[in-house]
C-alpha cells in the first residue's frame, strides 16, 4: 500500500476533515453547546457537596436538606438532555461526513485512470470505502465527543478546584506533566501500529477475495490447504499487530490511572494536614475530593482518546490518498457527433512500467472506415494494449492516435468513448435485469422494440424468452445464471444497441467452445457490418475473413495483409497458422 500520506501533518488532516463538517456547522454547533452544558454540570455535583455537608449535616439547615433532592434531579435532567442532544447531533454530522466522503471517493474512483486499478487491489480499494471510512467516523464523532465534552469537564473541574483551594490544586497540577508524557509515548506507537493494521486488513480482504472469486479453481486444484495456510499467515500477522496495539492501549490506561491515584493520595494526605486549619470546612474538603475524583474519568478518557484519533488520522490519510489521486486527463474540447470511423496509429509506442521498458514500438496502422482489421500474435505481444489506447484507458506514451483525423486527446473523453463499442472475453454483467444490462449506459433506457431488435440480431432473443421473466429477469451478481455463450451474446446485444461506429473485439469469443463460437459468429458478423472493426482473436479461423491481418511480435508489427497474402508470403503469420493446427490455439487465453 502506497500510503505515504501518513507523513502528512496530522493538523492538515484534521483541518481537511473539519472542512467536511463545515456545511453542517449549525448542527455541529448545537452539539458543541450541548457538550458545554453537559461539562458544566460536572463541577456543580462537586459544588453541591459543600452546602449539603456544611448546611445539612453540620448546621442542620432543614431548608437546604429539602432543596437538595430537587436540585439533584434537575441537574441530572439537564445533564441527560444535553448529553442526548450533543451525541445525537454529533453522530448526525458524523454520518453526513461519512456519506459525503464515500460519495466523493466513489466518484473519484469513477474518474480514476485504469492505472489506479492496476496498482491498487480491489480489496484495498473496498477496504478504503468501508473500513477506513468508519475509522474516520470514529475520529469525527467519538473522539470529538471525548475531546470537547471531557476536555471542558476537566477544565471546569480544575477551575472549580483552583477556586476552592489554590494550593491543593497547584499540587495536583504539578503531577499533570507526568501524565502528558505517558500519553505522548503511547500516541507514537498507536500511529505506527494502526497504519500497519489497516494495510493488513486490506491484505486480508484481498486474500479472501481471491478465493471467493476463484473458488472453483481452488476446488479443482485441491489447493484448500494451501489457501488456508496463506490466509492463516496474513491472519496471524494481523492478529499479532493488533495485539501489539492492544498491549500499548492496555498499558497506557493503567499507567495514567496509577499516576492519577498517586496524585489523589498525595492530595488527600496534604489536605488532612491542612484540614487542621480553621478555614477549611468539611464541605470544602469533600467538594475538592469529589471534584478530583470526578476529574479522573474524563482524564482517563482523554488519554485513551489518542488511539481512535490516531486510527482516524491514518484512515483519513488513506482516504485522502484516494481522493487526491490522479484523474483521467479529460482536457480535450472537441466533440464528434458520429465518427466515420477512420483510425490511424502514428508511431505509437507504449510503456506501462518504465522499469520493464516499452511494450509497443512504433506502431503505424491505418484502418479505413468500415474496414475490419485483425490483430494476431502470441500472448503478451501487445494486442490488448493497442486496443486499450484507442478509448484512452491508457494514454500512448509515444506517437498519436487519430479518429477521423482528430487526435484522441483533443476529443472529450465522453465524445471519444461514445464512438466505441468494446466486447471482450470477460463480459461484465451488472446485478440487474437483462433489459437494463443490454441498455447499460443509456440514461433513458430502451424501448421494448429496440431491445427485442438487438437481442434478435445478437441471437439472444430465444434464450432470453426462455428465462422466467424474459427481459425483466434479474441476472445474479456477475451474471452467474447464464452460460458463457449467453453472456457473450448479451454483450453483443449491448454493443448493437450502443450502435457506435467503431467496434473493438478483444478475444470476444475466446471463452466459448467452437460450437458456441460458430453460433455467435453470425451475431458478430451482423454487429461488424458497416463498422470499423478491430478484432483480436486467438483462434485464427475466426479472423480469416478480415480485410487485413496485422501480425504482432513483441510489440512490433511484423507483417500485414490478407489471410491469403500472408499465407503465400510464408512468414510469421503462416508459421503461427500452421502451428495452430498442430498445437491448437496459439494464444492461451488463461495466460493473457
Ligand atoms: N496494465 C498493465 N500494466 C503493466 N503491464 C501490462 C499491463 N497490461 C499489459 N502489460 C504488459 O504489456 C505486454 C503486452 O500485453 P497485452 O497488450 O495484454 O498483450 P496481448 O493482448 O497480446 O496478450 C505484456 O508484456 C504485459 O505483461
Ligand atoms: Mg490480450
Amino acid at each position: 500500500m502506497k500510503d505515504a500520506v501518513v507523513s502528512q501533518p496530522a493538523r492538515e488532516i484534521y483541518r481537511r476533515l473539519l472542512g467536511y463538517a463545515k456545511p453542517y456547522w449549525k448542527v455541529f454547533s448545537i452539539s458543541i453547546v450541548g457538550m458545554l452544558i453537559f461539562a458544566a454540570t460536572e463541577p456543580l455535583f462537586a459544588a453541591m457537596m459543600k452546602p449539603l455537608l456544611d448546611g445539612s449535616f453540620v448546621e442542620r439547615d432543614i431548608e437546604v436538606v429539602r432543596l437538595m433532592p430537587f436540585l439533584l434531579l434537575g441537574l441530572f435532567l439537564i445533564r441527560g438532555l444535553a448529553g442526548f442532544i450533543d451525541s445525537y447531533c454529533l453522530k448526525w454530522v458524523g454520518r453526513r461526513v461519512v456519506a459525503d466522503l464515500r460519495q466523493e471517493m466513489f466518484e473519484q474512483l469513477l474518474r480514476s485512470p485504469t492505472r489506479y486499478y492496476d496498482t491498487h487491489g480491489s480489496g484495498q480499494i473496498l477496504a478504503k470505502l468501508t473500513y477506513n471510512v468508519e475509522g474516520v467516523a470514529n475520529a469525527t464523532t467519538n473522539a470529538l465527543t471525548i475531546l470537547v465534552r471531557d476536555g471542558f469537564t476537566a477544565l471546569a473541574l480544575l477551575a472549580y478546584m483552583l477556586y476552592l483551594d489554590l494550593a491543593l490544586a497547584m499540587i495536583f497540577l504539578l503531577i499533570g506533566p507526568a501524565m502528558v508524557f505517558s500519553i505522548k509515548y503511547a500516541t507514537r506507537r498507536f500511529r505506527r501500529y494502526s497504519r500497519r493494521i489497516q494495510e493488513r486488513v486490506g491484505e486480508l480482504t484481498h486474500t479472501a477475495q481471491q478465493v471467493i472469486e476463484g473458488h472453483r479453481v481452488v476446488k479443482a486444484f485441491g489447493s484448500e490447504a494451501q489457501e488456508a495456510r496463506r490466509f492463516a499467515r496474513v491472519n496471524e500477522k494481523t492478529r499479532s499487530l493488533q495485539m501489539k496495539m492492544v498491549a500499548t492501549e492496555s498499558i497506557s490506561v493503567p499507567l495514567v490511572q496509577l499516576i492519577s491515584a498517586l496524585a489523589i493520595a498525595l492530595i488527600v494526605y496534604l489536605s488532612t494536614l491542612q484540614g487542621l486549619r480553621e478555614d477549611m470546612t468539611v464541605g470544602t474538603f469533600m467538594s475538592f475530593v469529589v471534584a478530583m475524583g470526578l476529574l479522573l474519568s474524563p482524564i482517563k478518557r482523554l488519554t485513551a482518546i489518542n488511539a481512535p484519533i490516531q486510527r482516524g488520522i491514518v484512515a483519513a490519510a488513506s482516504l485522502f490518498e484516494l481522493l487526491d489521486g490522479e484523474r483521467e486527463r479529460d482536457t480535450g474540447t472537441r466533440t464528434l457527433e458520429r465518427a466515420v470511423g477512420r483510425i490511424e496509429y502514428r508511431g505509437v509506442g507504449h510503456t506501462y512500467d518504465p522499469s520493464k521498458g516499452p511494450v509497443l514500438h512504433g506502431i503505424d496502422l491505418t484502418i479505413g472506415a468500415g474496414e475490419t482489421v485483425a490483430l494476431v500474435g502470441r500472448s503478451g505481444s501487445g494486442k490488448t494494449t493497442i486496443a486499450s489506447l484507442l478509448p484512452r484507458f491508457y494514454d500512448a506514451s509515444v506517437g498519436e492516435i487519430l479518429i477521423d483525423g482528430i487526435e484522441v486527446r483533443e476529443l472529450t473523453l465522453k465524445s471519444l468513448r461514445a464512438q466505441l463499442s468494446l466486447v471482450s472475453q470477460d463480459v461484465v454483467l451488472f446485478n440487474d435485469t437483462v433489459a437494463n444490462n443490454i441498455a447499460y449506459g443509456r440514461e433513458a433506457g430502451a424501448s421494448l422494440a429496440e431491445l427485442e431488435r438487438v437481442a434478435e440480431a445478437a441471437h439472444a432473443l430465444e434464450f432470453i424468452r426462455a428465462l422466467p421473466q424474459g427481459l425483466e429477469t434479474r441476472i445474479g451478481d456477475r451474471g452467474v445464471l447464464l452460460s458463457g455463450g449467453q453472456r457473450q451474446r448479451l454483450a453483443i446485444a449491448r454493443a448493437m444497441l450502443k450502435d457506435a461506429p467503431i467496434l473493438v473485439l478483444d478475444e470476444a469469443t475466446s471463452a466459448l467452445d467452437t460450437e458456441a463460437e460458430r453460433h455467435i459468429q453470425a451475431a458478430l458478423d451482423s454487429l461488424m457490418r458497416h463498422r470499423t472493426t478491430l478484432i483480436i482473436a486467438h483462434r485464427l479461423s475466426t479472423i480469416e475473413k478480415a480485410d487485413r491481418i496485422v501480425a504482432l511480435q513483441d510489440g512490433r508489427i511484423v507483417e500485414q495483409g490478407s489471410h491469403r497474402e500472408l499465407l503465400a508470403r510464408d512468414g510469421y503469420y503462416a508459421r503461427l497458422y500452421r502451428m495452430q493446427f498442430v498445437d491448437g490455439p496459439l494464444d492461451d487465453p488463461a495466460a493473457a
Side-chain angles (χ1 to χ4, degrees):
M1 191 157 163
K2 288 185 192 144
D3 280 349
V5 256
V6 183
S7 55
Q8 255 184 55
R11 206 174 335 137
E12 274 306 304
I13 296 175
Y14 271 130
R15 192 171 313 157
R16 196 160 163 193
L17 267 181
L18 218 56
Y20 281 90
K22 211 170 168 190
Y24 311 112
W25 69 272
K26 281 183 190 156
V27 181
F28 191 73
S29 315
I30 295 176
S31 165
I32 299 288
V33 170
M35 286 187 205
L36 294 184
I37 294 175
F38 185 95
T41 58
E42 202 87 352
L44 288 182
F45 281 119
M48 273 171 73
M49 287 295 133
K50 205 168 140 67
L52 194 69
L53 290 173
D54 291 349
S56 60
F57 296 119
V58 180
E59 281 159 31
R60 306 255 159 223
D61 188 335
I62 201 74
E63 288 297 305
V64 178
V65 180
R66 285 225 176 103
L67 212 58
M68 276 300 151
F70 295 104
L71 269 176
L72 199 68
L73 269 181
L75 209 56
F76 262 105
L77 200 69
I78 293 170
R79 189 181 162 84
L81 206 65
F84 166 76
I85 291 175
D86 85 47
S87 91
Y88 182 86
C89 288
L90 193 65
K91 295 232 159 79
W92 185 90
V93 174
R95 294 331 293 183
R96 288 274 169 170
V97 169
V98 165
D100 290 351
L101 272 168
R102 282 208 170 113
Q103 189 70 27
E104 200 177 309
M105 285 164 72
F106 188 74
E107 287 176 17
Q108 167 65 26
L109 270 181
L110 291 175
R111 282 183 241 119
S112 290
T114 316
R115 170 140 308 275
Y116 187 82
Y117 294 92
D118 289 347
T119 50
H120 293 71
S122 59
Q124 205 184 92
I125 298 178
L126 286 174
K128 279 183 204 273
L129 264 172
T130 53
Y131 179 84
N132 293 8
V133 177
E134 288 308 321
V136 171
N138 284 339
T140 51
T141 55
N142 300 0
L144 205 74
T145 307
I146 297 173
L147 204 68
V148 177
R149 211 196 236 184
D150 289 326
F152 275 113
T153 304
L155 280 179
L157 286 170
L158 267 177
Y160 181 63
M161 283 159 72
L162 283 168
Y163 161 78
L164 276 183
D165 194 312
L166 201 64
L168 279 188
M170 290 309 279
I171 293 168
F172 184 80
L173 280 177
L174 275 180
I175 310 165
M179 295 184 191
V180 174
F181 178 77
S182 59
I183 297 163
K184 274 240 154 99
Y185 171 74
T187 302
R188 274 203 308 275
R189 293 177 62 117
F190 276 134
R191 256 181 106 161
R192 203 164 62 226
Y193 292 136
S194 101
R195 186 185 69 232
R196 283 203 240 146
I197 284 174
Q198 282 183 8
E199 284 167 11
R200 288 279 167 238
V201 170
E203 206 179 312
L204 207 69
T205 327
H206 186 68
T207 312
Q209 198 180 16
Q210 278 185 342
V211 171
I212 293 166
E213 281 168 8
H215 63 104
R216 281 165 198 268
V217 181
V218 173
K219 287 197 173 98
F221 284 85
S223 53
E224 287 91 348
Q226 197 184 330
E227 289 297 340
R229 275 198 303 275
R230 194 211 306 267
F231 190 79
R233 266 199 305 275
V234 183
N235 206 7
E236 172 56 24
K237 266 193 232 160
T238 315
R239 187 201 62 82
S240 85
L241 258 180
Q242 240 142 7
M243 279 319 293
K244 280 186 188 158
M245 182 108 154
V246 166
T248 319
E249 209 163 9
S250 324
I251 280 179
S252 77
V253 171
L255 196 70
V256 171
Q257 274 176 339
L258 193 71
I259 295 168
S260 317
L262 220 71
I264 290 181
L266 193 66
I267 300 276
V268 171
Y269 174 73
L270 288 174
S271 54
T272 47
L273 298 181
Q274 212 186 20
L276 299 173
R277 290 195 334 239
E278 294 284 300
D279 60 337
M280 192 172 224
T281 67
V282 180
T284 309
F285 175 67
M286 274 317 286
S287 282
F288 193 89
V289 172
V290 167
M292 210 158 59
L294 287 175
L295 200 53
L296 213 56
S297 322
I299 286 196
K300 198 174 74 190
R301 281 195 295 267
L302 279 167
T303 57
I305 197 187
N306 284 285
I309 285 186
Q310 295 306 323
R311 270 199 290 270
I313 286 184
V314 173
S318 105
L319 305 192
F320 294 150
E321 183 263 349
L322 168 61
L323 286 174
D324 297 339
E326 215 185 321
R327 293 195 173 176
E328 286 193 302
R329 259 161 299 173
D330 190 7
T331 49
T333 49
R334 298 180 68 174
T335 56
L336 267 175
E337 193 55 47
R338 185 184 170 84
V340 179
R342 184 186 148 86
I343 303 169
E344 219 177 319
Y345 285 78
R346 283 191 196 152
V348 171
H350 191 64
T351 305
Y352 285 110
D353 181 352
S355 67
K356 295 206 179 110
V359 298
L360 286 182
H361 311 263
I363 299 292
D364 286 306
L365 179 65
T366 306
I367 309 174
E371 198 186 1
T372 297
V373 165
L375 293 178
V376 301
R378 291 184 167 276
S379 179
S381 56
K383 306 181 296 292
T384 299
T385 306
I386 290 188
S388 309
L389 297 179
L390 198 54
R392 288 186 60 202
F393 289 153
Y394 305 94
D395 275 323
S397 328
V398 187
E400 38 183 28
I401 301 171
L402 302 96
I403 291 180
D404 286 8
I406 304 172
E407 224 284 322
V408 287
R409 274 171 281 219
E410 286 175 23
L411 291 166
T412 64
L413 279 177
K414 196 175 161 70
S415 176
L416 167 67
R417 290 174 182 168
Q419 312 304 325
L420 293 153
S421 281
L422 183 70
V423 182
S424 58
Q425 176 180 355
D426 196 21
V427 177
V428 178
L429 294 176
F430 294 89
N431 189 8
D432 204 338
T433 62
V434 172
N436 287 341
N437 264 292
I438 294 179
Y440 185 74
R442 270 213 186 181
E443 296 262 354
S447 72
L448 189 63
E450 278 179 300
L451 287 171
E452 288 189 339
R453 180 181 58 76
V454 295
E456 171 94 72
H459 295 247
L461 198 54
E462 202 180 319
F463 85 79
I464 292 173
R465 286 217 169 112
L467 292 173
Q469 280 113 40
L471 277 165
E472 290 311 309
T473 310
R474 290 192 76 88
I475 9 192
D477 193 19
R478 307 208 298 150
V480 282
L481 298 176
L482 301 174
S483 75
Q486 290 170 333
R487 293 158 57 95
Q488 207 56 262
R489 277 175 276 168
L490 284 189
I492 293 170
R494 192 190 268 169
M496 292 235 171
L497 189 68
K498 186 174 178 188
D499 191 28
I502 298 169
L503 179 65
V504 176
L505 302 172
D506 188 355
E507 314 262 3
T509 56
S510 298
L512 310 176
D513 55 51
T514 321
E515 191 56 39
E517 185 172 356
R518 213 161 275 151
H519 207 67
I520 283 175
Q521 200 57 51
L524 279 180
D525 284 345
S526 62
L527 178 61
M528 284 156 68
R529 208 165 296 142
H530 312 303
R531 281 177 229 278
T532 308
T533 307
L534 191 62
I535 181 168
I536 301 169
H538 74 294
R539 280 197 202 96
L540 298 186
S541 56
T542 62
I543 53 165
E544 285 171 18
K545 282 178 292 175
D547 298 314
R548 191 152 37 108
I549 294 170
V550 174
L552 280 171
Q553 197 176 10
D554 298 329
R556 286 190 175 85
I557 295 179
V558 289
E559 267 179 351
Q560 48 181 314
S562 71
H563 175 64
R564 217 178 272 267
E565 285 163 14
L566 289 181
L567 278 189
R569 188 179 296 171
D570 199 24
Y572 184 64
Y573 177 76
R575 234 178 16 254
L576 284 179
Y577 192 76
R578 276 199 304 274
M579 215 151 62
Q580 183 156 94
F581 287 102
V582 183
D583 302 339
L586 65 99
D587 191 335
D588 177 15

